[in-house]
Structures are given as structure tokens and as C-alpha cells.
mmCIF file of all heavy atoms in Angstrom:
data_model
loop_
_atom_site.group_PDB
_atom_site.id
_atom_site.type_symbol
_atom_site.label_atom_id
_atom_site.label_comp_id
_atom_site.label_asym_id
_atom_site.label_seq_id
_atom_site.Cartn_x
_atom_site.Cartn_y
_atom_site.Cartn_z
ATOM 1 N N VAL A 1 7.841 -26.126 -24.585
ATOM 2 C CA VAL A 1 7.520 -24.862 -23.964
ATOM 3 C C VAL A 1 6.052 -24.665 -23.804
ATOM 4 O O VAL A 1 5.571 -24.233 -22.728
ATOM 5 C CB VAL A 1 8.132 -23.698 -24.856
ATOM 6 C CG1 VAL A 1 7.564 -22.345 -24.365
ATOM 7 C CG2 VAL A 1 9.647 -23.714 -24.705
ATOM 8 N N TRP A 2 5.251 -24.988 -24.850
ATOM 9 C CA TRP A 2 3.861 -24.782 -24.741
ATOM 10 C C TRP A 2 3.181 -25.730 -23.747
ATOM 11 O O TRP A 2 2.251 -25.397 -23.064
ATOM 12 C CB TRP A 2 3.186 -24.918 -26.120
ATOM 13 C CG TRP A 2 3.351 -23.746 -26.972
ATOM 14 C CD1 TRP A 2 4.278 -23.524 -27.956
ATOM 15 C CD2 TRP A 2 2.616 -22.504 -26.875
ATOM 16 N NE1 TRP A 2 4.129 -22.250 -28.497
ATOM 17 C CE2 TRP A 2 3.135 -21.619 -27.826
ATOM 18 C CE3 TRP A 2 1.560 -22.091 -26.043
ATOM 19 C CZ2 TRP A 2 2.610 -20.348 -28.021
ATOM 20 C CZ3 TRP A 2 0.996 -20.822 -26.254
ATOM 21 C CH2 TRP A 2 1.558 -19.928 -27.207
ATOM 22 N N VAL A 3 3.698 -26.984 -23.686
ATOM 23 C CA VAL A 3 3.104 -27.917 -22.699
ATOM 24 C C VAL A 3 3.390 -27.456 -21.320
ATOM 25 O O VAL A 3 2.519 -27.473 -20.426
ATOM 26 C CB VAL A 3 3.640 -29.339 -22.977
ATOM 27 C CG1 VAL A 3 3.312 -30.282 -21.776
ATOM 28 C CG2 VAL A 3 3.200 -29.899 -24.277
ATOM 29 N N LEU A 4 4.617 -27.063 -21.077
ATOM 30 C CA LEU A 4 4.937 -26.580 -19.687
ATOM 31 C C LEU A 4 4.144 -25.296 -19.321
ATOM 32 O O LEU A 4 3.748 -25.079 -18.256
ATOM 33 C CB LEU A 4 6.458 -26.274 -19.624
ATOM 34 C CG LEU A 4 7.382 -27.578 -19.638
ATOM 35 C CD1 LEU A 4 8.776 -27.131 -19.663
ATOM 36 C CD2 LEU A 4 7.096 -28.471 -18.410
ATOM 37 N N THR A 5 3.958 -24.404 -20.365
ATOM 38 C CA THR A 5 3.162 -23.173 -20.107
ATOM 39 C C THR A 5 1.694 -23.572 -19.798
ATOM 40 O O THR A 5 1.142 -22.954 -18.917
ATOM 41 C CB THR A 5 3.229 -22.341 -21.393
ATOM 42 O OG1 THR A 5 4.599 -21.985 -21.682
ATOM 43 C CG2 THR A 5 2.474 -21.013 -21.134
ATOM 44 N N LEU A 6 1.170 -24.503 -20.516
ATOM 45 C CA LEU A 6 -0.225 -24.965 -20.264
ATOM 46 C C LEU A 6 -0.345 -25.474 -18.855
ATOM 47 O O LEU A 6 -1.293 -25.204 -18.197
ATOM 48 C CB LEU A 6 -0.718 -25.990 -21.324
ATOM 49 C CG LEU A 6 -0.948 -25.484 -22.682
ATOM 50 C CD1 LEU A 6 -1.204 -26.621 -23.650
ATOM 51 C CD2 LEU A 6 -2.279 -24.605 -22.684
ATOM 52 N N ILE A 7 0.581 -26.281 -18.388
ATOM 53 C CA ILE A 7 0.584 -26.782 -17.038
ATOM 54 C C ILE A 7 0.684 -25.641 -16.089
ATOM 55 O O ILE A 7 -0.016 -25.572 -15.042
ATOM 56 C CB ILE A 7 1.760 -27.796 -16.783
ATOM 57 C CG1 ILE A 7 1.522 -29.028 -17.717
ATOM 58 C CG2 ILE A 7 1.853 -28.171 -15.345
ATOM 59 C CD1 ILE A 7 2.715 -29.980 -17.654
ATOM 60 N N PHE A 8 1.606 -24.772 -16.315
ATOM 61 C CA PHE A 8 1.758 -23.525 -15.445
ATOM 62 C C PHE A 8 0.427 -22.736 -15.357
ATOM 63 O O PHE A 8 0.020 -22.457 -14.241
ATOM 64 C CB PHE A 8 2.955 -22.649 -15.971
ATOM 65 C CG PHE A 8 3.298 -21.601 -15.046
ATOM 66 C CD1 PHE A 8 4.434 -21.644 -14.283
ATOM 67 C CD2 PHE A 8 2.540 -20.377 -14.999
ATOM 68 C CE1 PHE A 8 4.799 -20.626 -13.477
ATOM 69 C CE2 PHE A 8 2.857 -19.366 -14.146
ATOM 70 C CZ PHE A 8 4.053 -19.502 -13.326
ATOM 71 N N VAL A 9 -0.121 -22.420 -16.498
ATOM 72 C CA VAL A 9 -1.353 -21.635 -16.492
ATOM 73 C C VAL A 9 -2.469 -22.318 -15.862
ATOM 74 O O VAL A 9 -3.300 -21.763 -15.160
ATOM 75 C CB VAL A 9 -1.655 -21.119 -17.923
ATOM 76 C CG1 VAL A 9 -3.034 -20.524 -18.016
ATOM 77 C CG2 VAL A 9 -0.574 -20.239 -18.481
ATOM 78 N N GLY A 10 -2.585 -23.671 -16.092
ATOM 79 C CA GLY A 10 -3.649 -24.457 -15.449
ATOM 80 C C GLY A 10 -3.570 -24.426 -13.977
ATOM 81 O O GLY A 10 -4.580 -24.213 -13.260
ATOM 82 N N LEU A 11 -2.365 -24.561 -13.410
ATOM 83 C CA LEU A 11 -2.157 -24.461 -11.927
ATOM 84 C C LEU A 11 -2.452 -23.048 -11.451
ATOM 85 O O LEU A 11 -3.035 -22.816 -10.388
ATOM 86 C CB LEU A 11 -0.710 -24.855 -11.606
ATOM 87 C CG LEU A 11 -0.346 -26.301 -11.859
ATOM 88 C CD1 LEU A 11 1.135 -26.570 -11.732
ATOM 89 C CD2 LEU A 11 -1.071 -27.223 -10.948
ATOM 90 N N LEU A 12 -2.074 -22.000 -12.226
ATOM 91 C CA LEU A 12 -2.253 -20.645 -11.853
ATOM 92 C C LEU A 12 -3.755 -20.411 -11.798
ATOM 93 O O LEU A 12 -4.221 -19.765 -10.872
ATOM 94 C CB LEU A 12 -1.630 -19.760 -12.876
ATOM 95 C CG LEU A 12 -1.713 -18.258 -12.621
ATOM 96 C CD1 LEU A 12 -0.389 -17.509 -12.988
ATOM 97 C CD2 LEU A 12 -2.844 -17.640 -13.477
ATOM 98 N N LEU A 13 -4.516 -20.844 -12.809
ATOM 99 C CA LEU A 13 -5.997 -20.616 -12.767
ATOM 100 C C LEU A 13 -6.626 -21.317 -11.635
ATOM 101 O O LEU A 13 -7.573 -20.851 -11.075
ATOM 102 C CB LEU A 13 -6.541 -21.020 -14.133
ATOM 103 C CG LEU A 13 -6.124 -20.186 -15.369
ATOM 104 C CD1 LEU A 13 -6.773 -20.833 -16.627
ATOM 105 C CD2 LEU A 13 -6.548 -18.788 -15.264
ATOM 106 N N GLY A 14 -6.175 -22.556 -11.363
ATOM 107 C CA GLY A 14 -6.764 -23.337 -10.272
ATOM 108 C C GLY A 14 -6.524 -22.648 -8.890
ATOM 109 O O GLY A 14 -7.499 -22.526 -8.118
ATOM 110 N N TRP A 15 -5.282 -22.152 -8.674
ATOM 111 C CA TRP A 15 -5.014 -21.465 -7.440
ATOM 112 C C TRP A 15 -5.857 -20.182 -7.319
ATOM 113 O O TRP A 15 -6.423 -19.944 -6.311
ATOM 114 C CB TRP A 15 -3.535 -21.137 -7.426
ATOM 115 C CG TRP A 15 -3.181 -20.082 -6.401
ATOM 116 C CD1 TRP A 15 -2.767 -18.783 -6.715
ATOM 117 C CD2 TRP A 15 -3.253 -20.057 -4.940
ATOM 118 N NE1 TRP A 15 -2.568 -18.023 -5.604
ATOM 119 C CE2 TRP A 15 -2.911 -18.836 -4.488
ATOM 120 C CE3 TRP A 15 -3.642 -21.072 -4.038
ATOM 121 C CZ2 TRP A 15 -2.864 -18.481 -3.184
ATOM 122 C CZ3 TRP A 15 -3.581 -20.771 -2.663
ATOM 123 C CH2 TRP A 15 -3.168 -19.502 -2.264
ATOM 124 N N TYR A 16 -5.917 -19.402 -8.336
ATOM 125 C CA TYR A 16 -6.605 -18.117 -8.249
ATOM 126 C C TYR A 16 -8.115 -18.304 -8.235
ATOM 127 O O TYR A 16 -8.813 -17.423 -7.690
ATOM 128 C CB TYR A 16 -6.182 -17.204 -9.417
ATOM 129 C CG TYR A 16 -4.970 -16.393 -9.148
ATOM 130 C CD1 TYR A 16 -3.793 -16.653 -9.817
ATOM 131 C CD2 TYR A 16 -4.932 -15.438 -8.126
ATOM 132 C CE1 TYR A 16 -2.611 -16.010 -9.556
ATOM 133 C CE2 TYR A 16 -3.751 -14.769 -7.867
ATOM 134 C CZ TYR A 16 -2.584 -15.046 -8.613
ATOM 135 O OH TYR A 16 -1.426 -14.323 -8.276
ATOM 136 N N ALA A 17 -8.583 -19.415 -8.772
ATOM 137 C CA ALA A 17 -10.036 -19.696 -8.599
ATOM 138 C C ALA A 17 -10.432 -19.849 -7.118
ATOM 139 O O ALA A 17 -11.456 -19.258 -6.634
ATOM 140 C CB ALA A 17 -10.387 -20.991 -9.384
ATOM 141 N N CYS A 18 -9.612 -20.606 -6.395
ATOM 142 C CA CYS A 18 -9.797 -20.764 -4.992
ATOM 143 C C CYS A 18 -9.619 -19.457 -4.218
ATOM 144 O O CYS A 18 -10.382 -19.093 -3.342
ATOM 145 C CB CYS A 18 -8.889 -21.846 -4.447
ATOM 146 S SG CYS A 18 -9.108 -23.486 -5.089
ATOM 147 N N PHE A 19 -8.593 -18.708 -4.617
ATOM 148 C CA PHE A 19 -8.216 -17.434 -4.023
ATOM 149 C C PHE A 19 -9.370 -16.406 -4.161
ATOM 150 O O PHE A 19 -9.817 -15.776 -3.229
ATOM 151 C CB PHE A 19 -6.937 -16.948 -4.576
ATOM 152 C CG PHE A 19 -6.376 -15.627 -3.960
ATOM 153 C CD1 PHE A 19 -5.805 -15.691 -2.693
ATOM 154 C CD2 PHE A 19 -6.507 -14.415 -4.581
ATOM 155 C CE1 PHE A 19 -5.300 -14.611 -2.065
ATOM 156 C CE2 PHE A 19 -5.980 -13.281 -3.955
ATOM 157 C CZ PHE A 19 -5.371 -13.336 -2.753
ATOM 158 N N ILE A 20 -9.889 -16.260 -5.404
ATOM 159 C CA ILE A 20 -10.948 -15.335 -5.668
ATOM 160 C C ILE A 20 -12.248 -15.746 -4.985
ATOM 161 O O ILE A 20 -13.005 -14.850 -4.522
ATOM 162 C CB ILE A 20 -11.198 -15.204 -7.204
ATOM 163 C CG1 ILE A 20 -9.951 -14.536 -7.839
ATOM 164 C CG2 ILE A 20 -12.413 -14.464 -7.551
ATOM 165 C CD1 ILE A 20 -10.006 -14.520 -9.318
ATOM 166 N N PHE A 21 -12.512 -17.050 -4.932
ATOM 167 C CA PHE A 21 -13.737 -17.486 -4.176
ATOM 168 C C PHE A 21 -13.717 -17.087 -2.761
ATOM 169 O O PHE A 21 -14.720 -16.564 -2.183
ATOM 170 C CB PHE A 21 -13.786 -19.009 -4.286
ATOM 171 C CG PHE A 21 -14.920 -19.574 -3.454
ATOM 172 C CD1 PHE A 21 -16.233 -19.549 -3.905
ATOM 173 C CD2 PHE A 21 -14.666 -20.227 -2.221
ATOM 174 C CE1 PHE A 21 -17.281 -20.060 -3.110
ATOM 175 C CE2 PHE A 21 -15.619 -20.782 -1.453
ATOM 176 C CZ PHE A 21 -16.994 -20.682 -1.868
ATOM 177 N N LEU A 22 -12.565 -17.263 -2.043
ATOM 178 C CA LEU A 22 -12.414 -16.865 -0.661
ATOM 179 C C LEU A 22 -12.524 -15.332 -0.482
ATOM 180 O O LEU A 22 -13.175 -14.829 0.385
ATOM 181 C CB LEU A 22 -11.138 -17.369 -0.093
ATOM 182 C CG LEU A 22 -10.950 -18.912 -0.047
ATOM 183 C CD1 LEU A 22 -9.544 -19.256 0.462
ATOM 184 C CD2 LEU A 22 -11.991 -19.481 0.949
ATOM 185 N N VAL A 23 -11.868 -14.618 -1.460
ATOM 186 C CA VAL A 23 -11.893 -13.164 -1.311
ATOM 187 C C VAL A 23 -13.319 -12.661 -1.598
ATOM 188 O O VAL A 23 -13.770 -11.697 -0.899
ATOM 189 C CB VAL A 23 -10.943 -12.554 -2.402
ATOM 190 C CG1 VAL A 23 -11.148 -11.046 -2.480
ATOM 191 C CG2 VAL A 23 -9.471 -12.870 -1.938
ATOM 192 N N SER A 24 -14.072 -13.173 -2.493
ATOM 193 C CA SER A 24 -15.432 -12.749 -2.809
ATOM 194 C C SER A 24 -16.375 -13.019 -1.597
ATOM 195 O O SER A 24 -17.271 -12.227 -1.416
ATOM 196 C CB SER A 24 -15.929 -13.389 -4.108
ATOM 197 O OG SER A 24 -16.043 -14.828 -3.881
ATOM 198 N N ARG A 25 -16.144 -14.090 -0.932
ATOM 199 C CA ARG A 25 -16.919 -14.321 0.265
ATOM 200 C C ARG A 25 -16.694 -13.329 1.318
ATOM 201 O O ARG A 25 -17.565 -12.919 2.051
ATOM 202 C CB ARG A 25 -16.606 -15.748 0.823
ATOM 203 C CG ARG A 25 -17.037 -16.886 -0.167
ATOM 204 C CD ARG A 25 -18.592 -16.969 -0.330
ATOM 205 N NE ARG A 25 -19.219 -17.252 0.903
ATOM 206 C CZ ARG A 25 -19.502 -18.511 1.304
ATOM 207 N NH1 ARG A 25 -19.130 -19.515 0.579
ATOM 208 N NH2 ARG A 25 -20.137 -18.734 2.436
ATOM 209 N N LEU A 26 -15.401 -12.949 1.449
ATOM 210 C CA LEU A 26 -14.975 -11.956 2.489
ATOM 211 C C LEU A 26 -15.421 -10.595 2.093
ATOM 212 O O LEU A 26 -15.786 -9.725 2.965
ATOM 213 C CB LEU A 26 -13.416 -11.980 2.575
ATOM 214 C CG LEU A 26 -12.800 -11.071 3.641
ATOM 215 C CD1 LEU A 26 -13.318 -11.456 5.040
ATOM 216 C CD2 LEU A 26 -11.341 -11.181 3.577
ATOM 217 N N ARG A 27 -15.517 -10.309 0.782
ATOM 218 C CA ARG A 27 -15.914 -8.928 0.289
ATOM 219 C C ARG A 27 -17.245 -8.492 0.782
ATOM 220 O O ARG A 27 -17.478 -7.239 1.035
ATOM 221 C CB ARG A 27 -15.809 -8.911 -1.235
ATOM 222 C CG ARG A 27 -16.135 -7.529 -1.829
ATOM 223 C CD ARG A 27 -16.029 -7.572 -3.325
ATOM 224 N NE ARG A 27 -16.330 -6.227 -3.879
ATOM 225 C CZ ARG A 27 -17.531 -5.906 -4.395
ATOM 226 N NH1 ARG A 27 -18.535 -6.758 -4.392
ATOM 227 N NH2 ARG A 27 -17.664 -4.674 -4.863
ATOM 228 N N GLU A 28 -18.231 -9.389 0.912
ATOM 229 C CA GLU A 28 -19.547 -9.008 1.285
ATOM 230 C C GLU A 28 -19.606 -8.324 2.661
ATOM 231 O O GLU A 28 -20.545 -7.541 2.903
ATOM 232 C CB GLU A 28 -20.401 -10.321 1.338
ATOM 233 C CG GLU A 28 -20.521 -11.080 0.060
ATOM 234 C CD GLU A 28 -21.232 -12.405 0.206
ATOM 235 O OE1 GLU A 28 -21.624 -12.742 1.414
ATOM 236 O OE2 GLU A 28 -21.315 -13.121 -0.773
ATOM 237 N N ARG A 29 -18.576 -8.462 3.476
ATOM 238 C CA ARG A 29 -18.607 -7.843 4.772
ATOM 239 C C ARG A 29 -17.711 -6.599 4.758
ATOM 240 O O ARG A 29 -17.499 -5.940 5.793
ATOM 241 C CB ARG A 29 -18.074 -8.812 5.834
ATOM 242 C CG ARG A 29 -18.887 -10.029 5.969
ATOM 243 C CD ARG A 29 -18.265 -11.040 6.917
ATOM 244 N NE ARG A 29 -19.045 -12.202 7.069
ATOM 245 C CZ ARG A 29 -19.069 -13.283 6.279
ATOM 246 N NH1 ARG A 29 -18.282 -13.294 5.246
ATOM 247 N NH2 ARG A 29 -19.801 -14.309 6.573
ATOM 248 N N LEU A 30 -17.120 -6.189 3.592
ATOM 249 C CA LEU A 30 -16.144 -5.149 3.509
ATOM 250 C C LEU A 30 -16.500 -3.992 2.601
ATOM 251 O O LEU A 30 -15.588 -3.340 2.086
ATOM 252 C CB LEU A 30 -14.771 -5.716 3.132
ATOM 253 C CG LEU A 30 -14.205 -6.791 4.026
ATOM 254 C CD1 LEU A 30 -12.919 -7.363 3.515
ATOM 255 C CD2 LEU A 30 -13.993 -6.341 5.423
ATOM 256 N N LEU A 31 -17.796 -3.765 2.326
ATOM 257 C CA LEU A 31 -18.167 -2.771 1.373
ATOM 258 C C LEU A 31 -18.396 -1.364 2.079
ATOM 259 O O LEU A 31 -18.763 -0.441 1.420
ATOM 260 C CB LEU A 31 -19.482 -3.186 0.705
ATOM 261 C CG LEU A 31 -19.372 -4.291 -0.340
ATOM 262 C CD1 LEU A 31 -20.715 -4.606 -0.887
ATOM 263 C CD2 LEU A 31 -18.340 -3.908 -1.348
ATOM 264 N N HIS A 32 -18.090 -1.275 3.328
ATOM 265 C CA HIS A 32 -18.149 0.031 4.019
ATOM 266 C C HIS A 32 -17.102 0.956 3.423
ATOM 267 O O HIS A 32 -15.904 0.509 3.239
ATOM 268 C CB HIS A 32 -17.997 -0.127 5.533
ATOM 269 C CG HIS A 32 -18.281 1.115 6.321
ATOM 270 N ND1 HIS A 32 -17.500 2.194 6.276
ATOM 271 C CD2 HIS A 32 -19.345 1.407 7.142
ATOM 272 C CE1 HIS A 32 -18.015 3.137 7.094
ATOM 273 N NE2 HIS A 32 -19.132 2.671 7.565
ATOM 274 N N PRO A 33 -17.405 2.231 3.109
ATOM 275 C CA PRO A 33 -16.388 3.080 2.491
ATOM 276 C C PRO A 33 -15.090 3.217 3.264
ATOM 277 O O PRO A 33 -14.024 3.229 2.688
ATOM 278 C CB PRO A 33 -17.100 4.452 2.421
ATOM 279 C CG PRO A 33 -18.539 4.105 2.394
ATOM 280 C CD PRO A 33 -18.678 2.830 3.174
ATOM 281 N N GLN A 34 -15.175 3.244 4.609
ATOM 282 C CA GLN A 34 -13.874 3.363 5.406
ATOM 283 C C GLN A 34 -13.017 2.113 5.224
ATOM 284 O O GLN A 34 -11.777 2.210 5.192
ATOM 285 C CB GLN A 34 -14.283 3.577 6.920
ATOM 286 C CG GLN A 34 -14.858 4.954 7.120
ATOM 287 C CD GLN A 34 -15.185 5.166 8.598
ATOM 288 O OE1 GLN A 34 -14.952 4.281 9.451
ATOM 289 N NE2 GLN A 34 -15.592 6.346 8.959
ATOM 290 N N ILE A 35 -13.701 0.919 5.210
ATOM 291 C CA ILE A 35 -12.937 -0.267 5.059
ATOM 292 C C ILE A 35 -12.336 -0.382 3.650
ATOM 293 O O ILE A 35 -11.172 -0.811 3.444
ATOM 294 C CB ILE A 35 -13.850 -1.504 5.286
ATOM 295 C CG1 ILE A 35 -14.383 -1.510 6.749
ATOM 296 C CG2 ILE A 35 -13.137 -2.854 5.026
ATOM 297 C CD1 ILE A 35 -15.368 -2.619 7.043
ATOM 298 N N GLN A 36 -13.165 0.038 2.622
ATOM 299 C CA GLN A 36 -12.591 0.079 1.274
ATOM 300 C C GLN A 36 -11.451 0.980 1.174
ATOM 301 O O GLN A 36 -10.441 0.728 0.432
ATOM 302 C CB GLN A 36 -13.702 0.507 0.292
ATOM 303 C CG GLN A 36 -14.825 -0.419 0.197
ATOM 304 C CD GLN A 36 -14.549 -1.528 -0.727
ATOM 305 O OE1 GLN A 36 -14.278 -1.365 -1.926
ATOM 306 N NE2 GLN A 36 -14.594 -2.795 -0.214
ATOM 307 N N CYS A 37 -11.506 2.095 1.865
ATOM 308 C CA CYS A 37 -10.363 3.098 1.897
ATOM 309 C C CYS A 37 -9.095 2.429 2.505
ATOM 310 O O CYS A 37 -8.039 2.609 1.863
ATOM 311 C CB CYS A 37 -10.723 4.318 2.688
ATOM 312 S SG CYS A 37 -9.395 5.482 2.900
ATOM 313 N N ARG A 38 -9.286 1.698 3.529
ATOM 314 C CA ARG A 38 -8.089 1.039 4.193
ATOM 315 C C ARG A 38 -7.517 -0.023 3.239
ATOM 316 O O ARG A 38 -6.333 -0.227 3.153
ATOM 317 C CB ARG A 38 -8.515 0.432 5.512
ATOM 318 C CG ARG A 38 -8.799 1.456 6.576
ATOM 319 C CD ARG A 38 -9.380 0.848 7.808
ATOM 320 N NE ARG A 38 -9.833 1.906 8.667
ATOM 321 C CZ ARG A 38 -10.809 1.720 9.604
ATOM 322 N NH1 ARG A 38 -11.489 0.588 9.666
ATOM 323 N NH2 ARG A 38 -11.158 2.710 10.424
ATOM 324 N N ILE A 39 -8.407 -0.772 2.552
ATOM 325 C CA ILE A 39 -7.955 -1.822 1.684
ATOM 326 C C ILE A 39 -7.112 -1.223 0.513
ATOM 327 O O ILE A 39 -6.034 -1.741 0.232
ATOM 328 C CB ILE A 39 -9.090 -2.626 1.079
ATOM 329 C CG1 ILE A 39 -9.836 -3.440 2.133
ATOM 330 C CG2 ILE A 39 -8.743 -3.569 -0.072
ATOM 331 C CD1 ILE A 39 -11.167 -4.103 1.702
ATOM 332 N N LYS A 40 -7.604 -0.150 -0.027
ATOM 333 C CA LYS A 40 -6.882 0.588 -1.114
ATOM 334 C C LYS A 40 -5.557 1.086 -0.562
ATOM 335 O O LYS A 40 -4.498 0.976 -1.296
ATOM 336 C CB LYS A 40 -7.729 1.750 -1.557
ATOM 337 C CG LYS A 40 -8.801 1.316 -2.594
ATOM 338 C CD LYS A 40 -8.257 1.184 -3.910
ATOM 339 C CE LYS A 40 -9.335 1.055 -5.019
ATOM 340 N NZ LYS A 40 -8.761 0.909 -6.360
ATOM 341 N N ALA A 41 -5.586 1.582 0.620
ATOM 342 C CA ALA A 41 -4.338 2.223 1.144
ATOM 343 C C ALA A 41 -3.309 1.089 1.417
ATOM 344 O O ALA A 41 -2.103 1.254 1.040
ATOM 345 C CB ALA A 41 -4.643 2.984 2.491
ATOM 346 N N VAL A 42 -3.710 0.018 2.036
ATOM 347 C CA VAL A 42 -2.773 -1.054 2.363
ATOM 348 C C VAL A 42 -2.245 -1.717 1.150
ATOM 349 O O VAL A 42 -1.029 -1.971 0.959
ATOM 350 C CB VAL A 42 -3.482 -2.115 3.250
ATOM 351 C CG1 VAL A 42 -2.574 -3.348 3.466
ATOM 352 C CG2 VAL A 42 -3.764 -1.501 4.672
ATOM 353 N N THR A 43 -3.088 -2.138 0.146
ATOM 354 C CA THR A 43 -2.623 -2.742 -1.032
ATOM 355 C C THR A 43 -1.808 -1.787 -1.892
ATOM 356 O O THR A 43 -0.928 -2.218 -2.586
ATOM 357 C CB THR A 43 -3.803 -3.280 -1.819
ATOM 358 O OG1 THR A 43 -4.821 -2.191 -2.066
ATOM 359 C CG2 THR A 43 -4.508 -4.452 -1.139
ATOM 360 N N GLY A 44 -2.181 -0.511 -1.852
ATOM 361 C CA GLY A 44 -1.378 0.517 -2.549
ATOM 362 C C GLY A 44 0.080 0.612 -1.998
ATOM 363 O O GLY A 44 1.050 0.665 -2.696
ATOM 364 N N PHE A 45 0.152 0.525 -0.628
ATOM 365 C CA PHE A 45 1.402 0.568 0.038
ATOM 366 C C PHE A 45 2.228 -0.677 -0.326
ATOM 367 O O PHE A 45 3.416 -0.606 -0.531
ATOM 368 C CB PHE A 45 1.203 0.670 1.536
ATOM 369 C CG PHE A 45 2.522 0.625 2.284
ATOM 370 C CD1 PHE A 45 3.392 1.669 2.322
ATOM 371 C CD2 PHE A 45 2.852 -0.529 3.035
ATOM 372 C CE1 PHE A 45 4.584 1.696 3.025
ATOM 373 C CE2 PHE A 45 4.071 -0.565 3.691
ATOM 374 C CZ PHE A 45 4.952 0.481 3.714
ATOM 375 N N LEU A 46 1.623 -1.844 -0.343
ATOM 376 C CA LEU A 46 2.246 -3.127 -0.693
ATOM 377 C C LEU A 46 2.827 -3.049 -2.139
ATOM 378 O O LEU A 46 4.003 -3.451 -2.385
ATOM 379 C CB LEU A 46 1.368 -4.313 -0.509
ATOM 380 C CG LEU A 46 0.930 -4.648 0.881
ATOM 381 C CD1 LEU A 46 -0.106 -5.798 0.944
ATOM 382 C CD2 LEU A 46 2.185 -5.061 1.695
ATOM 383 N N LEU A 47 1.990 -2.485 -3.017
ATOM 384 C CA LEU A 47 2.458 -2.354 -4.436
ATOM 385 C C LEU A 47 3.652 -1.435 -4.484
ATOM 386 O O LEU A 47 4.621 -1.608 -5.307
ATOM 387 C CB LEU A 47 1.430 -1.839 -5.336
ATOM 388 C CG LEU A 47 0.254 -2.900 -5.629
ATOM 389 C CD1 LEU A 47 -0.888 -2.138 -6.352
ATOM 390 C CD2 LEU A 47 0.804 -4.009 -6.525
#
């Protein structure tokens, strides 16, 4: 169980490292309050 969990978590961290890197690069262009408002609204609706 622990070996499989370590593999799972390792893959999860690797995927999200790439994901967060791309999102952080995109964020630099999205700090306008109106854009932040839309991001909050869209992600809130998805949740």
C-alpha cells in the first residue's frame, strides 16, 4: 500500500509541478481585478 501510494503521490507531484509552472506563467497577465473576478466566478461555478 505504501509503495503504491508513494508512486501515486510522486506522479501527482510531478504533474502538478508542470501544471503550476504553466499557471504561474499565465498569472502574470491576469492580475487585473476584472479578470481576477471572472476567474473566481468561473472556478466557483465549476466547484
Side-chain angles (χ1 to χ4, degrees):
V1 168
W2 280 101
V3 170
L4 292 174
T5 303
L6 286 171
I7 295 173
F8 188 102
V9 171
L11 293 171
L12 181 142
L13 293 177
W15 159 251
Y16 276 111
C18 298
F19 186 74
I20 292 172
F21 173 77
L22 294 175
V23 169
S24 63
R25 296 293 297 271
L26 184 61
R27 179 179 183 263
E28 298 173 1
R29 301 175 177 85
L30 301 176
L31 288 179
H32 191 288
Q34 292 182 355
I35 297 177
Q36 294 281 298
C37 176
R38 290 171 188 153
I39 292 171
K40 280 280 191 179
V42 171
T43 52
F45 176 76
L46 290 175
L47 288 171

